[in-house]
Amino acid sequence: MNLSALQAAIREAGLDGWLFYDHHHRDPIAARILGLDEHAHVTRRWYYYVPATGDPSKLVHRVEQGRLDTLPGAKTLYSSWQELHSGIENLLQGQTKIAMQYSPNNDIMYVSMVDAGTVEFLRAMGKQIVSSADLVSQFEAVLTAEQVDSHYQAQRKIDAILVEGWREIRRRLNSSQSAQPTEFDMVVWLGEAMRREGILWDNGPNVSVNANCSDSHYEPTAEKTAPIREGDFLLIDIWGRQDPKIAKLASIYYDITWTAVVGREPSVREQLVFDTVRNARDAAIAAVQTAFAKNLPICGFEADDAARNVIRAAGFAEYFTHRTGHNIAQELHGSGAHLDNLETHDQRRILPNTCFSVEPGIYLPEFGIRSEVDMLTAPGKAWVTGPAQQELVRI
């Protein structure tokens, strides 16, 4: 935990302090920011208050009184609920405007970790509870130079695996010695290729054909999979990060989606949809790049609007059913600003030294197209970290 940085951010936000609270690991954000053991045995509530100035304070149960001993600050113990209530009052005495992992109306659900009862109790004490969403972005989404490098390490390996994946599909289709490939066959092949390269991932990857491409989180299995045939439309969504044990750091994901046609040229409608999605992607990229080049703030919802307006103008608005992008960090869907004005109205700023996907999509009944790239930002600039698909792949 970087106490001086935390307190500087709290002061800059005009807050009295930031209250961290957890029970049964309901708030992994708190554990990461405070540098706590994410696998520790937590069966009782603990509270850690970082004021804008002065020393932090902690309130822990006698059964687990050592749970916050790695953190600075005086410790108060409780056992009964009466002691807990008085302990919280003392912890926050003289403090009014307090940040917590809370979001009004659950608008930014990614930081809504605190239960309603705790917020109600604190409000009854006269405390003004505000969202820590912007603070979380600063301490969860901003990357180190080493983490940025880990993203590029994953990028180079995954991009090469994807290129070889297209070739593997063609080899299997041409072979008279092997059975017709299926979606799941290629999921297995891609997974084995990533594993050999020291890449880890959660679930996936996603390989889908034809109408299955219209299910944006489709997951083929050994029991439920479609064959890949000549003439098919194909989508591959693949993501991963360096194995942290190998990289020896909290590595960052790389996440991309490409589309292809198998053994043929695209239809007029496929080409129209692809061009629209590509143009929407590029509009969002341009919006972010322009804002950073001019040192202007840009919020997640504004980048989403840039992409969504292109798809709306082309008449496909009803078929763009998800946000334009998500923050990327140690988790695939990180805790920073998302490019979203559909599922949420994300008013968080896209910060320098953060990473996020740009992935608009159009999902028609017969096929779906998504084009996904990742972006990084720095003061004065923003850029795409890997190749951006410019035309449908021909397999």
Side-chain angles (χ1 to χ4, degrees):
M1 179 189 72
N2 188 334
L3 179 58
S4 61
L6 280 174
Q7 291 187 311
I10 292 167
R11 290 192 297 271
E12 185 177 352
L15 304 172
D16 292 325
W18 190 350
L19 179 60
F20 296 89
Y21 150 72
D22 196 22
H23 179 232
H24 280 283
H25 294 291
R26 293 178 182 173
D27 187 1
I29 291 173
R32 288 194 296 267
I33 291 175
L34 298 176
L36 300 174
D37 181 356
E38 297 181 38
H39 304 290
H41 194 46
V42 180
T43 66
R44 304 299 195 276
R45 288 169 285 185
W46 61 254
Y47 299 80
Y48 188 69
Y49 185 64
V50 180
T53 57
D55 296 328
S57 303
K58 39 194 164 184
L59 178 63
V60 292
H61 197 282
R62 286 183 176 86
V63 169
E64 295 174 353
Q65 58 185 275
R67 190 58 62 230
L68 302 181
D69 281 0
T70 57
L71 303 176
K75 176 168 60 178
T76 301
L77 304 178
Y78 77 93
S79 291
S80 68
W81 61 266
Q82 293 95 336
E83 282 184 303
L84 174 64
H85 288 184
S86 63
I88 294 174
E89 289 182 9
N90 291 332
L91 191 73
L92 302 178
Q93 188 172 17
Q95 307 292 291
T96 302
K97 194 173 183 181
I98 299 167
M100 293 190 77
Q101 270 73 282
Y102 148 81
S103 178
N105 303 315
N106 196 29
D107 284 344
I108 308 298
M109 73 287 288
Y110 316 101
V111 298
S112 286
M113 304 294 177
V114 180
D115 60 278
T118 296
V119 173
E120 289 170 354
F121 174 73
L122 293 169
R123 283 176 173 163
M125 291 172 51
K127 309 303 178 184
Q128 180 186 354
I129 305 303
V130 301
S131 178
S132 64
D134 288 327
L135 292 171
V136 167
S137 290
Q138 291 182 54
F139 292 95
E140 279 274 271
V142 173
L143 308 176
T144 65
E146 292 77 15
Q147 287 177 315
V148 169
D149 182 66
S150 77
H151 173 83
Y152 277 112
Q153 294 286 343
Q155 175 260 314
R156 285 189 284 270
K157 292 177 179 180
I158 290 174
D159 281 340
I161 288 168
L162 179 58
V163 169
E164 190 58 29
W166 304 126
R167 296 178 181 140
E168 179 65 15
I169 292 170
R170 174 44 59 195
R171 282 193 290 266
R172 295 190 182 201
L173 287 170
N174 288 346
S175 174
S176 60
Q177 306 300 316
S178 61
Q180 189 172 51
T182 68
E183 296 166 325
F184 186 70
D185 289 337
M186 291 310 301
V187 168
V188 172
W189 186 92
L190 291 166
E192 291 174 347
M194 286 197 290
R195 196 172 290 109
R196 286 193 299 271
E197 293 292 337
I199 300 293
L200 294 184
W201 68 99
D202 296 319
N203 306 312
N206 169 10
V207 179
S208 49
V209 297
N210 305 325
N212 291 339
C213 301
S214 295
D215 180 350
S216 52
H217 275 189
Y218 175 68
E219 293 185 72
T221 65
E223 295 74 30
K224 189 189 83 171
T225 185
I228 300 173
R229 302 186 180 100
E230 300 286 356
D232 280 347
F233 191 90
L234 178 65
L235 178 150
I236 295 181
D237 185 358
I238 184 170
W239 58 91
R241 64 178 180 140
Q242 283 187 292
D243 185 337
K245 294 178 181 177
I246 297 174
K248 297 182 180 180
L249 56 84
S251 55
I252 304 304
Y253 275 90
Y254 180 64
D255 182 13
I256 54 171
T257 306
W258 284 54
T259 44
V261 287
V262 183
R264 63 176 175 86
E265 291 298 307
S267 69
V268 171
R269 189 157 179 79
E270 288 168 343
Q271 189 65 54
L272 171 63
V273 172
F274 176 82
D275 290 346
T276 303
V277 170
R278 180 198 59 207
N279 293 343
R281 179 201 70 200
D282 291 349
I285 292 169
V288 175
Q289 289 178 328
T290 298
F292 271 80
K294 295 180 177 179
N295 291 311
L296 297 174
I298 180 169
C299 298
F301 79 89
E302 294 173 299
D304 180 89
D305 284 347
R308 201 165 299 278
N309 288 342
V310 172
I311 291 176
R312 183 180 297 110
F316 293 110
E318 66 181 295
Y319 302 108
F320 183 11
T321 54
H322 57 71
R323 64 195 174 200
T324 292
H326 57 84
N327 178 251
I328 296 175
Q330 300 174 51
E331 296 178 315
L332 179 60
H333 294 182
S335 298
H338 299 317
L339 278 55
D340 191 2
N341 199 19
L342 178 71
E343 300 174 53
T344 67
H345 180 59
D346 201 325
Q347 300 183 66
R348 292 175 293 177
R349 284 182 57 183
I350 300 173
L351 299 177
N353 305 311
T354 60
C355 182
F356 50 90
S357 70
V358 181
E359 51 179 302
I362 294 173
Y363 307 97
L364 304 177
E366 63 273 26
F367 69 93
I369 293 179
R370 181 168 63 256
S371 182
E372 179 178 16
V373 297
D374 298 343
M375 293 189 73
L376 280 166
T377 62
K381 61 180 180 178
W383 65 98
V384 174
T385 62
Q389 185 174 8
Q390 300 300 328
E391 59 181 23
L392 286 162
V393 174
R394 274 68 162 177
I395 298 177

